[in-house]
Amino acid sequence: MRIRGRLLLSFVLAALVPLGALGLLLRASLIERIDAEHYRQLSTRVESARRRVDEQLAADRRAVDALCEHDAVVDGLLLDLATGRYGPATEQEMVRVLPPLMRGRRFDALFLLDARSGSGRGRILGSGHYPDQVGGRAELVDAIARVGEGAFVDTVRVRDGAGTRDQQELLTGCVVARDGAAVAVVAGRVLGPEYADELLGDVSPVRLAMDSEMPAGAEPITTFADATGENALALYATIDDAPLEREIALLRERSAYLAGAALLLAVLLALGFTLTLSRPLAELEEATRRVASGDLATEMRVRRKDEVGSAMEAFNAMTKELAVTRRKLLRAERIAAWREVARRIAHEIKNPLQPIQMEIETMQKLHARKHPSFDEEFPAGAKMILEEVRRLDDMVTEFSRFARLPRPKATEVDLREVVSHVEGLGGDEVEVVQPAEAVRVRADREQLTQVLLNLVQNGVDAARARHGESGGRVRLTLEPDPEGALLVVEDNGPGIPEADRLKVFEPYFTTKAKGTGLGLAIVHRIVGDHGGAIDVDEGIDGGAAFVIVLPASGPPAAIEASLTDDAVPLNRPSEPG
Ligand SMILES: Nc1ncnc2c1ncn2[C@@H]1O[C@H](COP(=O)(O)OP(=O)(O)OP(=O)(O)O)[C@@H](O)[C@H]1O
Ligand SMILES: [Mg+2]
């Protein structure tokens, strides 16, 4: 994975892990709060329902007690019973007055019962909820005696405009006795869904219900017993979880959107940061590549003041230092090469000087002794001296040609033209292989012609040395190359032994009787001055092959500079920066 990808991943992870943890925590605590609020509502409702039930019981109690203590209807009934005037007229009166009395006290049932002991005990003297019941019986008087101040559940038959029905009611009662007469007042309130609904209204998710059995998970509010003390009905609360679940689902959805947005933001931020970090690295990589391929003029634009900017500045300083060092090295190499040349010239000059000196000394001696053979010796001696001097002169001429080799004057050259020109100058054994399209490089046409001529001449010499005047072959191949051009001169001569393959380029290395040994030294220098490279390899049939690669860009600026007189002098400290 590239550094950009790795940085991006680490930044996104670094941003997301704490963000995700925080988000999860926040969400969990929010859900917990919503949950707690939901159940707090339930317990508040349960409390208030309990209070309402107690209040209602107390209110019913007060209303019933008020009827027993002092009420015109009850008092009239007691009087009729005590005086024996109770009869159909009283019953008719009850049918008329009791329903409005019941509704006025907000009861759902109202009994007036005969509470005297004896056979009439329990007779219905009046009924607000079922007026025609008068004369019937209800087993409620003993129940009131048993329950006292409390309330109890019983089934009450009711008749109204909608018909007759039985309903469970919460009954409260009292007994009032006066002058031998006794009347029980029993008031009732319907227990059931309506009762539960009325307690709270229906604005909250909490629901009250009443049943003989309470379902699991419900919150009990109160239980109502029948007259024997047995639990008959339970009032309880349940809570509707649907709104809670809807709220939680909405929260989950929103937190998912939020997480997505956070991820996007993290990726964008990380991308921005990564780019600002990795772009200069990529530039540095590219610049390093250019320097590695020899372009020491490369300079990075420093736009930042941080560590990356410092690295770029250090890179620029390094490149400058490298360029200076390379120039020094080139100069040093050239000085070393010239020393070697001077050593060889001295050796070459010393060789003919010795016979010349000996010849002159011999002739001096003969002349001093007036020797008769002096006249005979002189022409031969003088000829030998002249020959040696001519050889010295030739050598010096050749050398100065090599020494004065000018810097290449590069122009755009199609190498096919140079190759064809050399083919024309070469012998019959020379063949040329070259492409149909132009192979262009920047080069000094004259110098390249000289390179190819020297190589072809060497090839012809070598091929003839092995095969005589016929049978020798020299092939000159030109090809385009990724760098520029590839030139190969090969022959079917004896080849060059491995040990001599470097030496052949040194000045004055020759194996030929009349060779100067400067041909390949000149070739090597011209190719080097063009920024190219030359190598020796195996050619046709074990012969030699000289392989030259020339860059399309031509002589590098640094090499041209190294040859000028104002090139950086050796040992001068490089300028800072
Ligand atoms: N194609 C070749 N096959 C075999 N040996 C070669 C070939 N080319 C060069 N040499 C060897 O390298 C030596 C140096 O060659 P270079 O061209 O420098 O000088 P030269 O050919 O000897 O002299 P000059 O070039 O002045 O005629 C040659 O003497 C020869 O021994
Ligand atoms: Mg030669």
Side-chain angles (χ1 to χ4, degrees):
M1 195 191 269
R2 286 185 68 83
I3 195 160
R4 188 176 294 177
R6 256 184 292 167
L7 275 174
L8 189 66
L9 195 70
S10 347
F11 287 142
V12 168
L13 282 182
L16 275 194
V17 167
L19 210 75
L22 202 72
L24 283 179
L25 265 173
L26 219 72
R27 198 172 79 161
S29 89
L30 261 173
I31 289 177
E32 207 173 295
R33 272 183 53 187
I34 292 174
D35 216 39
E37 171 61 20
H38 187 72
Y39 287 102
R40 197 185 59 77
Q41 260 191 44
L42 178 64
S43 60
T44 317
R45 296 280 156 166
V46 165
E47 261 326 298
S48 91
R50 257 187 214 132
R51 250 196 333 271
R52 287 291 308 273
V53 169
D54 289 345
E55 280 166 14
Q56 222 158 46
L57 277 174
D60 288 358
R61 179 80 254 158
R62 280 197 302 275
V64 168
D65 284 347
L67 287 176
C68 281
E69 274 159 25
H70 175 68
D71 180 82
V73 177
V74 179
D75 290 349
L77 189 63
L78 271 172
L79 193 64
D80 281 3
L81 280 178
T83 55
R85 279 207 307 265
Y86 181 84
T90 321
E91 284 176 358
Q92 281 309 307
E93 175 72 0
M94 288 301 137
V95 168
R96 195 176 55 80
V97 299
L98 277 191
L101 181 71
M102 177 187 81
R103 282 195 293 275
R105 301 293 192 279
R106 294 183 185 284
F107 286 126
D108 297 314
L110 180 62
F111 290 102
L112 295 182
L113 303 163
D114 191 344
R116 292 170 298 182
S117 48
S119 58
R121 187 175 171 89
R123 197 159 72 98
I124 298 173
L125 302 174
S127 165
H129 53 281
Y130 194 165
D132 304 348
Q133 238 180 353
V134 174
R137 293 186 64 85
E139 304 300 328
L140 290 173
V141 182
D142 292 334
I144 289 171
R146 209 172 305 132
V147 173
E149 293 278 293
F152 61 97
V153 179
D154 210 338
T155 308
V156 176
R157 176 155 295 181
V158 189
R159 164 174 283 182
D160 53 19
T164 309
R165 64 189 178 282
D166 287 341
Q167 56 190 27
Q168 295 220 287
E169 299 208 5
L170 184 64
L171 302 177
T172 326
C174 54
V175 176
V176 53
R178 211 173 291 151
D179 308 325
V183 169
V185 179
V186 180
R189 176 176 293 283
V190 175
L191 289 179
E194 313 85 0
Y195 178 85
D197 281 351
E198 261 172 38
L199 280 178
L200 290 179
D202 57 358
V203 287
S204 82
V206 180
R207 289 275 159 274
L208 298 189
M210 190 175 282
D211 228 323
S212 50
E213 287 289 313
M214 198 175 69
E219 191 74 10
I221 296 171
T222 187
T223 49
F224 300 103
D226 62 14
T228 63
E230 287 288 313
N231 277 347
L233 276 177
L235 179 67
Y236 56 85
T238 53
I239 189 154
D240 181 8
D241 281 343
L244 173 73
E245 263 145 29
R246 269 200 305 280
E247 207 172 330
I248 288 176
L250 194 73
L251 184 79
R252 289 219 162 93
E253 193 180 314
R254 279 189 190 150
S255 60
Y257 282 138
L258 216 69
L263 177 69
L264 194 74
L265 194 73
V267 168
L268 286 179
L269 283 178
L271 202 68
F273 189 64
T274 306
L275 278 181
T276 56
L277 209 70
S278 67
R279 197 175 291 143
L281 281 182
E283 282 171 18
L284 205 63
E285 186 189 357
E286 169 59 25
T288 310
R289 234 188 270 283
R290 281 210 302 276
V291 169
S293 70
D295 180 7
L296 291 185
T298 304
E299 192 170 348
M300 298 200 69
R301 230 156 39 90
V302 184
R303 287 167 301 221
R304 311 163 51 135
K305 294 240 169 291
D306 55 8
E307 292 85 339
V308 178
S310 308
M312 287 173 157
E313 268 166 12
F315 177 87
N316 284 344
M318 180 197 75
T319 315
K320 272 188 193 137
E321 190 61 40
L322 217 61
V324 170
T325 308
R326 183 157 89 172
R327 285 203 290 270
K328 285 180 186 173
L329 208 67
L330 273 171
R331 182 52 84 93
E333 268 174 12
R334 290 174 64 77
I335 286 175
W338 283 112
R339 278 209 186 107
E340 177 60 19
V341 169
R343 195 184 61 75
R344 282 173 189 267
I345 291 173
H347 179 76
E348 292 291 322
I349 289 177
K350 247 189 149 127
N351 279 350
L353 280 183
Q354 222 165 0
I356 290 172
Q357 189 184 2
M358 276 167 63
E359 193 57 46
I360 290 177
E361 278 171 3
T362 310
M363 287 202 291
Q364 264 181 336
K365 278 182 203 152
L366 290 177
H367 185 257
R369 283 192 232 130
K370 307 267 192 256
H371 202 279
S373 63
F374 176 77
D375 290 340
E376 210 177 300
E377 281 281 335
F378 184 77
K383 187 175 170 240
M384 190 278 266
I385 289 171
L386 276 177
E387 257 174 31
E388 290 297 328
V389 168
R390 204 166 294 132
R391 214 153 76 78
L392 275 171
D393 187 51
D394 279 354
M395 204 170 70
V396 169
T397 308
E398 262 319 298
F399 175 71
S400 60
R401 213 159 60 82
F402 172 60
R404 266 192 273 117
L405 197 62
R407 269 175 282 144
K409 288 188 192 63
T411 53
E412 183 92 1
V413 177
D414 179 2
L415 286 179
R416 293 180 310 163
E417 292 164 14
V418 181
V419 166
S420 302
H421 180 60
V422 171
E423 183 186 18
L425 294 177
D428 292 340
E429 50 269 87
V430 180
E431 77 180 89
V432 160
V433 181
Q434 58 180 347
E437 62 279 2
V439 182
R440 283 182 214 287
V441 297
R442 280 190 71 247
D444 184 318
R445 183 188 295 267
E446 300 305 321
Q447 291 192 357
L448 281 194
T449 307
Q450 194 184 350
V451 164
L452 292 184
L453 273 178
N454 284 5
L455 290 177
V456 166
Q457 187 55 54
N458 279 354
V460 169
D461 288 350
R464 283 188 185 160
R466 187 171 169 195
H467 298 280
E469 286 302 311
S470 60
R473 283 178 64 202
V474 176
R475 184 160 60 215
L476 172 53
T477 310
L478 167 66
E479 276 174 24
D481 179 85
E483 289 209 4
L486 181 77
L487 282 158
V488 182
V489 182
E490 49 192 334
D491 58 66
N492 63 349
I496 302 173
E498 197 72 45
D500 287 347
R501 285 189 180 175
L502 274 180
K503 271 196 232 158
V504 291
F505 295 108
E506 289 175 5
Y508 301 106
F509 176 85
T510 181
T511 55
K512 297 173 195 168
K514 290 201 169 158
T516 63
L518 285 176
L520 284 180
I522 291 170
V523 166
H524 188 264
R525 199 176 128 185
I526 292 175
V527 171
D529 285 357
H530 278 78
I534 181 163
D535 219 344
V536 183
D537 211 341
E538 199 133 300
I540 309 162
D541 198 11
F546 286 83
V547 182
I548 296 173
V549 178
L550 286 178
S553 50
I559 286 197
E560 277 179 310
S562 79
L563 300 173
T564 62
D565 294 336
D566 55 356
V568 179
L570 264 181
N571 299 329
R572 195 175 80 185
S574 62
E575 293 89 347

